Amino acid sequence: SLDSLIFLQLSLLFKEFFLTRRKIMIVRKIKGAAYIAVAVAALCSSGVQAKDFYKMSTIALATPFALNTTFAKIVQKYNKDIEIQVNATGAAPRHALDAANGKTDLFFGAPSLQMLMSKGKAMFKKVKNAPKLANNLRAIFHYRIGTYNFGVYGDSGIKSLYDIKGKRVFIGPPVGVQKVVSAGFIKAVTGYEMNKDYTAVKLGFQPAMQAFQDRQIDMMTGASNHPSSFWSQIALTNKIRFLGADDDTDWNTPKWKKQFRIPGRTPTEFGSDIYGSNQLNTKPTKTIAAYTGLYTRVGMSEDVIYKMTKTFWEHIDEMHNVAAWAKDAINKKRIFQEANWKYHPGALKYYKEIGLKIPAIAQ
C-alpha cells in the first residue's frame, strides 16, 4: 500500500541520516586525536618538558629569605625539569614538622631546632612524636644567619638591656627558637624574666618589624648579617642603638656556657659604625652569632638533592651577588659549621666529590 511504501522510504532515509552522522563523529574524533598528537609533538620539539615540583618553606628574616629564594632561582635556572614553590609564611618549627610529615620538601632549619625537636623540648614539648619525626629530617648545608640584634630608637631612653624593664619588646615569634635564645641572653645579662620584668609581644617577624616602625614596641630583635636592609632603612631617618652584653662579659662563666649549650650559637660582636652617624653605639656590641641551614626530608631522592646541591654551589657567585654580607655568611667553609645532625646522602655525595672533610655527625 502507499502508506507502507512511504513508511519504508522514511525508514531508509532515517537510517542513512544516522549512519552519515556517525561517520562524521568518527571523522571528527580521528581529526581531534591527530590534532592532539601534532600538538604534543610540537611541544616536545620546542624543548618543553615535564617538570618535577617541590615545595620550600622559609621565614621572613632577610638572610634565610634571601638564601632560600635565591637557591630556588639558581636551581631552576640550570635545571629546566625542576620547579620550586617557595612559601614565606609560618614559623620554622611548623615547617620542620611539615617536612617530617612529607608536606614540604625543603625548609629553613637550624642546629638548635633539630636539637629541641629531637628531645621534645620548648615549642615541641606538646608534640608527642617529635623525637621520632626529627629522624625524618636531613641537612643540606649550614650558613651564618647573622648576629642577634637587640635594637632600639636613639630617642627611646633605652641605653642598655637593663632599661627594657617594664617595656614591650619583640624577642622572637611565640613558637620560634629565637625567642628561647633571646630570653636566655637577656636573663644572662640582666637577670630579667620574660613576661615578668618585660613583656614579650606575640607577633611574627613581619608584623613585629611594622610595629617597631610604627613605634608600638620598644625593642626589635632579629638575627641578620650586617648591613641589614631593615636597620639600614630605619637608620636613614632615625637614630638607632644596639644593646648587648656588658663590656666586661666573660663568656666562659657558667651562666654564659649554659646559653651556648643550644647548638648553632657562638659569642661574637659587631661594629659601632655599620649604619653611619645615626648609629649611636660608641663600642662594638657583644652578642650571639647564629648558624642555620637549608634542610630537607629523608624521602627526597638522592639524585634530586645531589643535583640541587651541585647546581647551587657551582653557581654560588650568583648568591654572593645578592647582598654584601652573603660572601662571608654563605660559603663552603660554613657548610658543616655547628653541624649536629645527619646530612642528606645526595648532598654528601657532592661534598665528597669536591673533597670536603665530612664530620662524623653529618654522615
Side-chain angles (χ1 to χ4, degrees), residues 181-358:
V181 176
S182 298
F185 183 85
I186 293 170
K187 184 177 180 179
V189 174
T190 65
Y192 293 168
E193 296 283 352
M194 178 178 61
N195 293 328
K196 179 180 178 182
D197 296 298
Y198 61 91
T199 301
V201 296
K202 296 180 179 180
L203 295 171
F205 285 113
Q206 288 289 9
M209 291 175 186
Q210 187 60 56
F212 183 76
Q213 289 176 308
D214 295 339
R215 304 267 185 150
Q216 295 176 355
I217 55 178
D218 301 295
M219 182 179 77
M220 175 68 199
T221 308
S224 64
N225 290 286
H226 299 287
S228 155
S229 57
F230 175 75
W231 289 110
S232 294
Q233 181 182 350
I234 297 293
L236 283 175
T237 54
N238 300 275
K239 300 289 184 181
I240 60 172
R241 178 182 284 109
F242 294 103
L243 316 177
D246 299 328
D247 292 337
D248 59 352
T249 295
D250 182 356
W251 300 112
N252 293 312
T253 57
K255 69 176 182 179
W256 283 112
K257 284 184 176 181
K258 182 180 179 181
Q259 297 307 310
F260 300 121
R261 286 177 188 169
I262 297 179
R265 304 290 181 270
T266 59
T268 192
E269 61 181 38
F270 60 90
S272 59
D273 58 351
I274 296 172
Y275 298 96
S277 59
N278 273 348
Q279 183 180 349
L280 299 180
N281 298 91
T282 57
K283 298 178 181 179
T285 301
K286 293 181 179 293
T287 184
I288 294 176
Y291 294 85
T292 54
L294 179 64
Y295 284 64
T296 186
R297 54 185 178 82
V298 170
M300 280 289 283
S301 161
E302 181 176 331
D303 290 339
V304 170
I305 295 300
Y306 168 78
K307 187 187 293 187
M308 289 181 175
T309 306
K310 179 181 173 71
T311 301
F312 177 72
W313 289 110
E314 287 187 346
H315 301 279
I316 191 63
D317 58 309
E318 295 183 31
M319 178 73 244
H320 292 161
N321 290 335
V322 169
W325 48 259
K327 193 169 186 178
D328 181 52
I330 305 164
N331 55 61
K332 290 178 181 177
K333 292 181 180 179
R334 299 196 186 280
I335 285 175
F336 297 110
Q337 195 155 356
E338 295 295 305
N340 68 330
W341 205 254
K342 289 183 178 181
Y343 279 51
H344 194 280
L348 292 179
K349 179 181 177 181
Y350 173 70
Y351 300 144
K352 289 175 183 176
E353 282 184 2
I354 61 174
L356 291 187
K357 184 180 180 179
I358 300 173

Side-chain angles (χ1 to χ4, degrees), residues 130-147:
K132 183 178 179 180
L133 289 173
N135 290 323
N136 292 341
L137 305 177
R138 293 291 182 269
I140 297 177
F141 59 81
H142 282 169
Y143 58 91
R144 190 185 65 193
I145 191 176
T147 62

Side-chain angles (χ1 to χ4, degrees), residues 64-84:
F65 181 80
L67 179 284
N68 286 28
T69 53
T70 305
F71 177 91
K73 182 180 178 181
I74 292 172
V75 170
Q76 292 175 135
K77 180 179 178 181
Y78 298 99
N79 296 279
K80 300 303 181 182
D81 59 331
I82 292 177
E83 184 165 332
I84 301 174

Side-chain angles (χ1 to χ4, degrees), residues 86-103:
V86 182
N87 168 39
T89 61
R94 180 71 263 169
H95 298 159
L97 289 172
D98 284 345
N101 285 302
K103 295 180 181 179

